[in-house]
Amino acid sequence: MRGRRGGGRLRRKLESFRAGLGAMARRAGRQRRAAGGGSAALPSLPSFEDEADEAPEEVSFDVARAAAETERKIAGEAARRHRELLKEKRRRREELFKEQKRKKLLPEAVLQELAAAPPGRQSEVTHAADQDEHPEDGPARQSEGHVPGQLKKDKPKGTRSKGNYMAVHLKDQSLTGLHQQTAKDFLYTHLYGAGTNRTHANEFFSLENKKNPVKKAAVQFVDKSWGLEEKQKAMKFKKCWLAAKMKSLV
Amino acid sequence: MGEFEVHRVRFFSYVPAGVRCLAYHRRTDRLALARTDGAVEVYNFAANYFQEKAIPGHEARTVEALCWAAGDRLFGAGLGGDVSEYDLERLRVKRSVDGFGGPIWSMAANAGGTRLAIGCEDGSVKLFHVVPDGVQFERNLDRQQGRVLCLSWHPSETHIAAGSVDLLRVLDVGSGRTVQRIMVNYHVQKSKKRECVVWSVAFLSSGTVVSSDSFGRLQFWDWERGTLLESHTVSTSAVLSLAVSEKEDSIVVGTSAGATYQFQLLPVKMGSQDKHWVRTKPFQHHTHDVRAVAHSPTALISGGLDAQLVIRPLMEKMQKKGYEAALRKFTFPHRRLVSCARKARLLLFQFSQHLELWKLGSTDESGKDGEVLPVCRAPEHLVQLKSKGPEHIYCSCVSPCGSWIAYSTASRFHLYRAQYEGDSVSIKKVANVPKLLLPAYQLQCSADSGSLFVASDQGSVHVLQLLEPGGCKHLHTLRPPSGTPEAVYLLASSADGNWLAAASGDWEIHLYSLKRFKHHCTVPTYSCAVTALAIHPVTNNLVIAYSDQQLFEFSIPEKQYTAWSRTVQNSGLHKAWLERDSPITHIAFNPKNPSHILLHDVYMFCVLDKSLPLPDDSASLMNQSALKQLPETARKRQLHAFKICKKFQPLLFADLLDENCLVMVERPIMDIKTQLPPPIQQKKFGT
């Protein structure tokens, strides 16, 4: 059943191939005629011409031009339509994103509430938090006349300060963290980045072992974490093989 | 030697951190070393290269540069942006000052040790005055684009050379202006231009600036004209570090491929005045990047990311060939990282930020000498205790019964009560731990697990009583009568619970009576660091190992050295014993055989039998394999006190579980190396 269907497909393919060749030959003939009314067909392709043996239809130059023009026009229109479609799609997606962003934001009421909170108090809270974070840089901050104990008392007791959280001024910390990260990245790229010619420990030490007069176990067996995937694959294969074996025995 | 059933433990997955920077102090003959995890160590070369002090690291405190200033004060700076001073008596950061220039890449002290210059991420070089209580900001020098990766003072203290990416600058300290800019990359073709990082720089008194860069070159510049004097291509990979000897006639450089090279200033012809720098000696002691080198008057010192510290004495500087001229390699700390609960057969492993509790495996078979017995119960990982916060662990201990686990970080002390029901373990934190002065430098449980001794600073030891079911009480604080600023770093308690010995950083050993909580006596001071202490369970003799490999036995009840100790001192120890290069880190005893002392260092395990004669220098010290082949009668004549086994290497811990059962904790070097960051590929011919 299967074999027969496959054969059918093959035959169909062959036919289409032949048809394609025929078309090619026809086009070639037309060109030749346009060039100066050539007489003889190509000697190498006669056997395929047998289906379209009759003479090609006569087409005048004007008609052909008109046909080509309309064809071009149609193609242009299709491209324009396609572009418009894409534009529309993009616009719709942008709208969707805007909508999503709006959904993610806090509700309007909360935002208004935050904006309405007294600004002086907020800065004090951040200050207190700062002092808690850096107990050792006391002198610089204490000169401003804040006493941590007092500050804790006048934490805003607004509508939303019930939860056990504290506002912290993150700006300075994140800045030093960022600097440190860029410094570490610099170090990493120059020691281990592209062009530093690093190799894997396994390769490095195996090379040593290769030259060694006393051969030891390959390094990849030293670290148990290496080749885990291969080991698991091998285990799976073994299980499958065993199962197959058992089945065949039964 | 005696036959033992040995638990060969290889599951302690300890990986030491790589060496980041070194600072050698000529006057005190000490070397300060910082690791990539922020730990700082001090090695005392005079005390046989003993790792005298160790300050555990901190997650947020990386150390990029260390220097000695104002006598013997140690300063460090790192990517955290702080300049900090280390308290070498209390083993912690004494105080730190923000540099206000972002991460600090480099720091250098002037020749007098009165000022520090730091090179920052934002391209500024800042000067600090060293004042009695820390450092004080003095001024900013000319700021320019590009991080300042390395710094060096001119010996006359008038100029500073600073290296950054593609560029070398010379700054005038008086005016603070940049007086010379040297483009290091100038000679390279435009098409091949890559960033050239100047990793290290040195300013010689002749006005020559030496720079090492990521193209693998060591270059000598005339700073006044800004011209290149000499250029040596050392390696195809980067040259990460360089150090100059005090006489300025020798330079050591360390490369990314793990090699170190010595350059020497030598006359071109015999007797001529014209001298050139010549590459003389290559060494390949490391497998990974050598990020730090130092030059002592007699040795080249290098530290690599493979966590090794290598000290290579220079033969031409040595008077005679011998032990002094031998190469030294240190990979493991000279402290105990493992503690053992003998009765419960548990091991507690200390890592930088966590502890692991393992139960030893067991076997029900027996075999002949040298046989490997099959394990019927595999070793079991019971608990992993993670320390919270960024601080690393100072010390830890498990009680002999296995039910108490204690550890300390720089600011916190934790005590846990563990309960074992069948195969399950439950761990409960003991609340209301008495407030002690922290950190604790060493923890030790008494033999009956009833009390915990906490080594603290100023020579004091706190005695805590452990209460069932999960409580503790502060009983007493023992202090030396004379007082000392140094912290206690080794403890030993006697099996009968009467005596406690404590060794502090000034190498004094104090003995306390635990019955009356009183100072009993002081062991006569010896001019070397104490590396291990233990009190014999039967005779109450204190056995002391010093870093120059000497062994002493001190009778506590009689307050004097024992007769055996005196004979050892009179006849002297074997030469091969004295020439070992790693200190003894643990001493144990065999209660069945009171004359046996079990000792170990990284490369050997030794049973010292006091009843046998001491070997003289003509006999071989390691004679165990030779003895095996001799007939019984001849063997008797050849026996001597030191029975050494080198089968287990590198040995981090060895202890006696019961009369014929030993536990040996090994950490093969290869296991560590596979966990390290990737090394540089090296082309080997014929592979």
Side-chain angles (χ1 to χ4, degrees):
Chain A
M1 174 92 179
R2 207 189 226 179
R4 211 185 304 156
R5 203 191 288 164
R9 204 182 294 151
L10 193 73
R11 202 173 307 136
R12 223 172 299 143
K13 224 180 222 171
L14 247 179
E15 275 165 14
S16 71
F17 174 63
R18 212 174 282 165
L21 269 183
M24 233 157 69
R26 233 175 292 146
R27 220 173 295 141
R30 211 179 294 153
Q31 274 170 4
R32 240 174 283 127
R33 226 163 291 127
S39 53
L42 271 177
S44 58
L45 286 170
S47 58
F48 290 105
E49 291 251 358
D50 49 0
E51 290 169 19
D53 224 3
E54 63 269 34
E57 66 269 54
E58 286 281 326
V59 182
S60 74
F61 182 71
D62 286 350
V63 175
R65 196 175 62 174
E69 256 172 20
T70 48
E71 212 166 90
R72 211 183 305 140
K73 213 179 263 172
I74 286 164
E77 208 141 283
R80 194 175 51 80
R81 225 177 298 133
H82 184 66
R83 267 204 303 277
E84 262 170 19
L85 227 79
L86 272 181
K87 214 187 250 173
E88 172 73 23
K89 211 174 174 182
R90 225 177 288 141
R91 197 171 54 78
R92 233 180 290 148
R93 183 172 288 179
E94 212 159 283
E95 265 173 21
L96 188 73
F97 282 158
K98 265 185 198 159
E99 178 72 11
Q100 277 177 346
K101 212 172 195 178
R102 210 157 48 79
K103 272 183 194 163
K104 257 188 213 163
L105 276 179
L106 288 169
E108 200 79 346
V110 180
L111 283 175
Q112 275 175 2
E113 195 180 304
L114 277 180
R121 276 188 179 180
Q122 244 175 2
S123 74
E124 271 178 9
V125 172
T126 55
H127 227 106
D130 256 6
Q131 270 189 347
D132 286 352
E133 283 294 305
H134 307 282
E136 65 271 24
D137 4 333
R141 308 255 162 116
Q142 268 165 20
S143 61
E144 289 166 42
H146 291 294
V147 184
Q150 271 184 352
L151 283 169
K152 263 184 194 151
K153 265 182 225 159
D154 49 22
K155 252 185 195 172
K157 290 194 178 106
T159 46
R160 296 182 46 80
S161 63
K162 266 179 252 158
N164 57 353
Y165 64 85
M166 189 164 51
V168 175
H169 197 242
L170 275 176
K171 201 177 153 198
D172 304 332
Q173 288 177 13
S174 66
L175 208 63
T176 54
L178 194 73
H179 279 312
Q180 206 168 333
Q181 199 51 51
T182 44
K184 278 181 181 163
D185 287 347
F186 168 80
L187 205 61
Y188 184 82
T189 46
H190 280 278
L191 286 182
Y192 298 104
T196 49
N197 201 14
R198 296 278 168 177
T199 172
H200 199 249
N202 184 18
E203 268 166 51
F204 184 84
F205 292 109
S206 296
L207 208 65
E208 208 168 76
N209 195 13
K210 205 170 176 182
K211 302 260 294 184
N212 218 1
V214 184
K215 302 282 181 252
K216 294 170 199 156
V219 182
Q220 57 176 331
F221 299 114
V222 173
D223 192 337
K224 300 278 186 299
S225 63
W226 289 353
L228 258 187
E229 219 167 278
E230 275 80 8
K231 278 176 199 163
Q232 274 168 3
K233 224 191 260 173
M235 281 281 279
K236 216 186 232 170
F237 175 76
K238 198 174 164 190
K239 262 186 201 164
C240 285
W241 183 80
L242 267 178
K245 195 91 177 164
M246 295 302 281
K247 215 178 244 176
S248 70
L249 277 177
V250 169
Chain B
M1 180 148 190
E3 283 197 0
F4 294 104
E5 187 185 301
V6 178
H7 290 268
R8 190 173 195 174
V9 172
R10 286 188 158 188
F11 42 74
F12 180 24
S13 55
Y14 168 72
V15 180
V19 178
R20 173 63 196 90
C21 50
L22 297 170
Y24 177 73
H25 194 233
R26 172 96 198 270
R27 202 172 55 75
T28 55
D29 206 13
R30 281 179 165 86
L31 178 79
L33 173 153
R35 295 193 180 265
T36 46
D37 64 349
V40 173
E41 293 160 9
V42 177
Y43 289 80
N44 188 346
F45 284 16
N48 202 8
Y49 304 94
F50 182 60
Q51 183 188 321
E52 206 178 31
K53 322 258 170 176
I55 304 173
H58 190 281
E59 216 167 56
R61 206 179 61 213
T62 59
V63 184
E64 288 291 318
L66 278 178
C67 56
W68 296 92
D72 45 7
R73 288 164 67 184
L74 182 64
F75 293 89
L79 298 183
D82 290 342
V83 180
S84 34
E85 182 179 355
Y86 294 98
D87 188 339
L88 293 179
E89 283 162 354
R90 302 176 67 184
L91 304 184
R92 56 182 195 178
V93 173
K94 199 187 256 176
R95 51 181 84 84
S96 58
V97 175
D98 197 341
F100 289 108
I104 300 172
W105 285 98
S106 54
M107 178 168 66
N110 63 351
T114 53
R115 290 153 114 191
L116 293 176
I118 60 167
C120 305
E121 171 88 0
D122 65 354
S124 62
V125 176
K126 293 164 198 277
L127 291 186
F128 284 83
H129 256 307
V130 180
V131 290
D133 54 342
V135 289
Q136 202 173 40
F137 177 70
E138 188 186 336
R139 60 181 300 196
N140 264 321
L141 303 186
D142 215 4
R143 187 182 142 181
Q144 285 188 5
Q145 277 280 313
R147 37 180 78 90
V148 179
L149 290 167
C150 48
L151 281 177
S152 177
W153 285 80
H154 189 266
S156 67
E157 304 180 11
T158 51
H159 291 89
I160 292 176
S164 47
V165 180
D166 285 336
L167 185 71
L168 201 65
R169 282 191 288 152
V170 178
L171 299 140
D172 187 299
V173 177
S175 66
R177 297 260 161 246
T178 302
V179 287
Q180 187 62 266
R181 273 171 63 100
I182 300 170
M183 301 300 290
V184 181
N185 219 359
Y186 191 72
H187 304 277
V188 181
Q189 290 167 14
K190 271 247 166 73
S191 59
K192 284 188 184 172
K193 256 188 188 167
R194 286 179 291 141
E195 263 189 349
C196 177
V197 183
V198 179
W199 283 115
S200 189
V201 71
F203 212 145
L204 306 184
S205 52
S206 60
T208 307
V209 177
V210 191
S211 71
S212 71
D213 57 37
S214 60
F215 288 2
R217 299 173 304 187
L218 182 73
Q219 293 181 313
F220 297 81
W221 307 86
D222 181 337
W223 85 261
E224 273 170 286
R225 296 198 194 93
T227 51
L228 182 65
L229 298 175
E230 283 179 56
S231 178
H232 300 263
T233 303
V234 178
S235 152
T236 49
S237 51
V239 181
L240 296 175
S241 49
L242 83 93
V244 185
S245 71
E246 204 163 5
K247 282 188 193 157
E248 297 188 352
D249 60 350
S250 162
I251 293 176
V252 55
V253 299
T255 68
S256 205
T260 49
Y261 298 92
Q262 192 192 7
F263 280 77
Q264 281 176 291
L265 189 62
L266 296 173
V268 186
K269 265 190 265 169
M270 193 72 148
S272 83
Q273 288 296 310
D274 194 18
K275 285 184 170 179
H276 277 290
W277 287 97
V278 182
R279 187 167 88 183
T280 52
K281 298 185 198 89
F283 299 109
Q284 181 86 44
H285 297 304
H286 301 271
T287 52
H288 289 68
D289 313 45
V290 178
R291 293 207 64 194
V293 288
H295 204 309
S296 81
T298 56
L300 308 179
I301 306 161
S302 56
L305 291 187
D306 53 357
Q308 277 189 43
L309 169 68
V310 176
I311 299 157
R312 168 86 254 177
L314 293 167
M315 293 305 278
E316 71 260 25
K317 302 277 200 260
M318 290 290 165
Q319 298 302 322
K320 58 179 194 294
K321 197 177 159 189
Y323 176 56
E324 293 297 308
L327 172 80
R328 303 301 186 96
K329 268 189 185 188
F330 300 107
T331 311
F332 298 103
H334 294 166
R335 291 175 301 137
R336 194 169 50 84
L337 296 176
V338 182
S339 45
C340 170
R342 285 179 200 176
K343 288 173 201 157
R345 303 214 161 195
L346 300 173
L347 287 177
L348 183 74
F349 299 135
Q350 178 189 324
F351 295 84
S352 62
Q353 282 191 298
H354 69 274
L355 302 172
E356 278 182 10
L357 187 68
W358 286 74
K359 185 161 186 60
L360 285 172
S362 57
T363 180
D364 44 10
E365 290 182 40
S366 58
K368 285 203 291 283
D369 179 32
E371 266 179 37
V372 179
L373 303 178
V375 177
C376 71
R377 213 184 113 166
E380 199 183 343
H381 185 183
L382 296 178
V383 177
Q384 181 169 25
L385 267 176
K386 267 195 185 153
S387 147
K388 269 187 201 156
E391 291 162 343
H392 290 187
I393 295 171
Y394 271 66
C395 56
S396 61
C397 99
V398 59
S399 69
C401 64
S403 51
W404 299 90
I405 297 169
Y407 75 89
S408 166
T409 64
S411 63
R412 284 196 282 185
F413 171 70
H414 299 268
L415 182 64
Y416 293 90
R417 173 99 170 98
Q419 268 165 339
Y420 308 92
E421 287 150 12
D423 281 348
S424 69
V425 190
S426 65
I427 282 234
K428 217 174 77 188
K429 192 176 170 182
V430 175
N432 306 326
V433 180
K435 283 210 163 52
L436 307 166
L437 216 54
L438 288 169
Y441 304 99
Q442 178 77 287
L443 294 164
Q444 172 95 31
C445 263
S446 65
D448 61 352
S449 305
S451 42
L452 179 71
F453 308 109
V454 181
S456 187
D457 56 357
Q458 299 186 346
S460 59
V461 181
H462 303 289
V463 183
L464 305 183
Q465 191 181 11
L466 300 174
L467 303 165
E468 298 290 338
C472 87
K473 200 173 84 180
H474 182 235
L475 278 187
H476 200 83
T477 300
L478 304 164
R479 287 180 205 284
S482 50
T484 170
E486 298 271 353
V488 173
Y489 71 99
L490 278 176
L491 288 174
S493 66
S494 69
D496 57 7
N498 286 347
W499 307 106
L500 180 76
S504 51
D506 51 0
W507 308 341
E508 289 220 341
I509 304 170
H510 292 278
L511 288 161
Y512 300 97
S513 158
L514 290 175
K515 279 264 170 70
R516 289 172 289 149
F517 291 120
K518 252 182 78 179
H519 184 258
H520 179 67
C521 65
T522 308
V523 177
T525 320
Y526 184 70
S527 63
C528 223
V530 185
T531 66
L533 274 182
I535 298 176
H536 199 285
V538 181
T539 58
N540 271 347
N541 288 338
L542 176 71
V543 178
I544 311 157
Y546 288 99
S547 65
D548 60 350
Q549 312 295 359
Q550 291 292 346
L551 293 171
F552 286 87
E553 195 185 34
F554 185 83
S555 165
I556 299 175
E558 291 166 24
K559 298 191 187 180
Q560 61 176 353
Y561 287 122
T562 60
W564 180 80
S565 184
R566 283 169 208 278
T567 50
V568 167
Q569 288 311 308
N570 282 336
S571 59
L573 287 162
H574 195 279
K575 193 162 164 257
W577 175 267
L578 295 176
E579 293 185 351
R580 290 177 306 114
D581 57 357
S582 71
I584 286 178
T585 47
H586 188 66
I587 301 174
F589 300 99
N590 192 348
K592 273 285 160 71
N593 247 331
S595 65
H596 283 188
I597 304 171
L598 315 180
L599 311 152
H600 85 87
D601 66 9
V602 176
Y603 302 107
M604 62 105 212
F605 171 75
C606 172
V607 179
L608 180 56
D609 192 344
K610 289 196 290 177
S611 61
L612 290 174
L614 291 167
D616 55 354
D617 278 355
S618 59
S620 135
L621 183 70
M622 267 69 99
N623 64 349
Q624 286 300 308
S625 53
L627 280 182
K628 256 185 205 168
Q629 290 156 7
L630 287 178
E632 197 70 36
T633 48
R635 203 182 288 178
K636 278 269 160 56
R637 266 180 283 127
Q638 296 282 322
L639 281 179
H640 63 68
F642 292 88
K643 300 163 178 184
I644 293 172
C645 162
K646 291 201 153 192
K647 188 176 178 182
F648 309 99
Q649 281 184 1
L651 191 59
L652 292 190
F653 182 76
D655 205 358
L656 193 77
L657 290 175
D658 55 41
E659 53 203 74
N660 53 8
C661 189
L662 278 172
V663 59
M664 301 275 191
V665 180
E666 276 182 304
R667 182 69 180 142
I669 294 282
M670 213 45 182
D671 290 12
I672 294 175
K673 282 188 174 167
T674 56
Q675 314 264 324
L676 294 173
I680 293 269
Q681 187 173 19
Q682 281 171 24
K683 181 82 191 102
K684 291 265 167 71
F685 175 75
T687 51

